[in-house]
Amino acid sequence: MAERVGGRRGQGELEAQVLSALRTAQEPVRAAWVLERLGGTLAYTTVVTILTRLHTKGVVTRRRAGRSFVWTAATGEAGLAAHRMRRVLDGETDREAVLASFVSSLPRQDESLLRRLLLEAEAEIPVDGESGDR
């Protein structure tokens, strides 16, 4: 978790806590349910704001339930971390340099894992009208 500065939560810490609470839900839940699970002194509007931000990022889904929404985790913390990584990459002008620097800084085992994942993803891409089912 990010270090707290001046008693405030670090960047992304609250999002991770909200997502973690949502992932424990057995069904779609209201923001008040999330607030109750988080405890502390958060305002209801803060929880709704965080849920809305997570929805915009595609990390949670929502559906109308009466006058409000019920929320569901669409992805785990790994999906949230991946979104943050894409956002950082999207903010850079030289994507190739950033990716090359990232890959060269990985420990050998992570580099091997990344290569394997890329090969698996490549195998799933349909080529010349072929279906991706193999």
Side-chain angles (χ1 to χ4, degrees):
M1 262 186 216
E3 184 177 324
R4 288 185 183 211
V5 179
R8 295 180 56 119
R9 287 175 175 82
Q11 181 179 6
E13 182 179 350
L14 186 53
E15 287 182 349
Q17 290 174 350
V18 167
L19 185 57
S20 181
L22 266 183
R23 291 182 67 222
T24 67
Q26 300 299 311
E27 59 190 6
V29 295
R30 297 184 183 277
W33 184 93
V34 175
L35 177 62
E36 184 179 298
R37 294 310 176 279
L38 294 177
T41 58
L42 288 176
Y44 174 82
T45 54
T46 300
V47 172
V48 171
T49 298
I50 295 301
L51 285 166
T52 302
R53 287 180 184 167
L54 290 170
H55 179 259
T56 300
K57 295 174 181 181
V59 179
V60 303
T61 61
R62 69 180 183 193
R63 69 175 165 76
R64 181 73 64 188
R67 294 176 53 198
S68 63
F69 292 102
V70 289
W71 306 85
T72 306
T75 185
E77 291 185 33
L80 181 57
H83 174 79
R84 287 188 192 121
M85 292 167 68
R86 281 191 309 271
R87 195 172 64 208
V88 167
L89 185 59
D90 288 346
E92 297 297 325
T93 54
D94 191 349
R95 294 174 74 92
E96 184 176 343
V98 172
L99 287 169
S101 179
F102 175 73
V103 169
S104 68
S105 70
L106 290 173
R108 185 169 295 295
Q109 64 202 46
D110 288 346
E111 184 179 342
S112 296
L113 174 59
L114 181 58
R115 287 181 192 282
R116 182 178 58 86
L117 293 170
L118 288 170
L119 286 171
E120 288 174 6
E122 188 176 87
E124 293 176 9
I125 298 172
V127 180
D128 297 328
E130 294 178 22
S131 74
D133 300 331
R134 294 186 185 186

